[in-house]
Amino acid sequence: MIKKVVAKSGPRYQVRVRGADGKERSKTHRTLKEAERYEREFLSGRDRGTLIDPRLASETLNQFTDRWLVVHGAHLRPRTLELYRSLLHRHILPRFGALPLGKIATGDVRAWNAELALRVAVTAAKAYRLLSQIMKTAVEDGLIVRNPCVVRGAGLERSPERPVVSVQEAEALAQAMPDRLRLAIYLAAWCQLRHGEILGLERRDVDLLHGSIRIERTVSWPPGGMQLGPPKTQAGVRTVYVPPNILDQLKLHMEHYAGAEADAPVFVGQGGSRLRPASLDQSWRAARLSIGRPEVHFHDLRHSGATWLAVQGATTKEIMARVGHASPQAALRYQHATEDRDAALARLLGEMAETVKVAKFPGHVEYLRNEAS
């Protein structure tokens, strides 16, 4: 109901409504039109079950994010939590942190994402997905009616194609590394192992008899020290068979550099403890500069090896199983066409066509050959 109230500054219109919880609420407006609109929207929201208490939506994103990290951060891997904090601190909260949750509009999110994407496209997609995840929780908690992060395609990462090294370049990179680290290059390129998976390997993971490696843990070094744990997804837990061309290198490394205990790290630092990423990265930077490929990242070795698999005709599921991907979208990146593979396919098609011609029309094929000569 709407009641006219006389105040010193003029007439006001007080709206009194009862929510779904049975509690009565009131709000005063300057004009009768505003009061009628508020009453209409309140009652409509109550009947649809989408009514939100404005006092709840007034919580700022800064305040809500603090609570969100406490609840959700406990279930995140250290590196993921570190990434989330960085995205919040550098990109999300400076723009939206002081705003009430109910005041974050889709148009503002779209403008923010477009501006960020012009500078750092991949980071923009990551930041957008994180903001969307936080706002989705706010919807689930009944703080806001809808998630403002509905910008089509904003969460898709459009990464530029990473460079691929040739087999010869991979070998040159391995030879440019110190003896105790050379195997790391081979495992990244030929077994498609991740950086953290390589450093997480222990003697018990290596089966020299069957020529295989079991991936059950990965190592990271977030602020605060080393973190050793399982792969990020269940697909990352896998057995990888070692190609024959690097099996001898694996055996030599295990004999000369790995400890005898079952849990001894395969890669150790100068002091005998598990190799730190910084030590590997320092030698890696020197190696890539020595072959004139400063743009190549360590992860590009894994990317290159997976691309070699695709060139050899490996299916999406086979690539997924070997590299430890949980979704086919990631594995499909390695099945892009290459000029060498296209030329090989053209030769195969020609051989197939030649076989069919000889079988069905031997006289005609012989005629064509005579004409050509």
Side-chain angles (χ1 to χ4, degrees), residues 92-282:
I92 298 175
L93 296 181
R95 185 66 168 266
F96 300 111
L99 289 178
L101 295 174
K103 295 294 185 180
I104 300 176
T106 297
D108 295 331
V109 173
R110 180 181 290 107
W112 162 76
N113 175 258
E115 177 187 324
L116 187 58
L118 289 175
R119 294 187 283 113
V120 278
V122 174
T123 301
K126 293 181 187 297
Y128 175 86
R129 291 200 303 270
L130 176 57
L131 177 61
S132 179
Q133 188 177 348
I134 293 171
M135 298 304 289
K136 178 183 177 183
T137 304
V139 173
E140 294 170 350
D141 290 351
L143 304 182
I144 54 176
V145 176
R146 62 188 293 271
N147 187 343
C149 299
V150 290
V151 182
R152 183 176 298 179
L156 298 177
E157 293 185 25
R158 299 174 177 84
S159 305
E161 184 65 34
R162 291 303 308 162
V164 176
V165 300
S166 67
V167 172
Q168 293 79 7
E169 286 175 321
E171 180 61 28
L173 286 165
Q175 294 302 320
M177 296 288 284
D179 291 346
R180 64 188 181 89
L181 300 180
R182 183 167 298 135
L183 179 65
I185 305 301
Y186 288 129
L187 293 181
W190 291 101
C191 294
Q192 296 79 44
L193 300 192
R194 298 176 175 91
H195 189 278
E197 292 171 345
I198 292 172
L199 297 184
L201 286 176
E202 296 175 356
R203 176 171 283 279
R204 57 186 165 182
D205 303 321
V206 180
D207 184 349
L208 294 177
L209 179 62
H210 298 95
S212 66
I213 295 175
R214 180 70 178 169
I215 309 301
E216 291 189 344
R217 72 193 63 79
T218 183
V219 68
S220 60
W221 290 82
M226 182 187 75
Q227 294 284 343
L228 191 64
K232 190 172 183 178
T233 66
Q234 188 58 37
V237 179
R238 63 199 189 279
T239 298
V240 177
Y241 283 87
V242 180
N245 60 302
I246 68 166
L247 192 54
D248 286 342
Q249 181 67 35
L250 175 62
K251 292 176 180 177
L252 286 172
H253 182 95
M254 297 303 295
E255 179 182 350
H256 293 287
Y257 300 108
E261 300 82 6
D263 60 350
V266 171
F267 291 92
V268 297
Q270 297 287 0
S273 58
R274 192 180 297 273
L275 181 69
R276 298 176 66 94
S279 299
L280 175 59
D281 294 344
Q282 183 178 8

Side-chain angles (χ1 to χ4, degrees), residues 46-119:
R46 183 191 66 184
D47 295 340
R48 293 196 311 269
T50 59
L51 184 65
I52 297 295
D53 188 336
R55 291 171 296 181
L56 298 178
S58 65
E59 181 177 16
T60 66
L61 183 64
N62 274 327
Q63 295 168 330
F64 183 70
T65 298
D66 287 341
R67 295 194 292 111
W68 188 89
L69 282 174
V70 171
V71 175
H72 294 266
H75 307 289
L76 297 174
R77 297 171 64 87
R79 287 294 294 274
T80 303
L81 182 58
E82 181 186 356
L83 171 64
Y84 282 7
R85 291 188 184 280
S86 174
L87 292 172
L88 286 166
H89 177 71
R90 299 178 61 186
H91 303 296
I92 298 175
L93 296 181
R95 185 66 168 266
F96 300 111
L99 289 178
L101 295 174
K103 295 294 185 180
I104 300 176
T106 297
D108 295 331
V109 173
R110 180 181 290 107
W112 162 76
N113 175 258
E115 177 187 324
L116 187 58
L118 289 175
R119 294 187 283 113

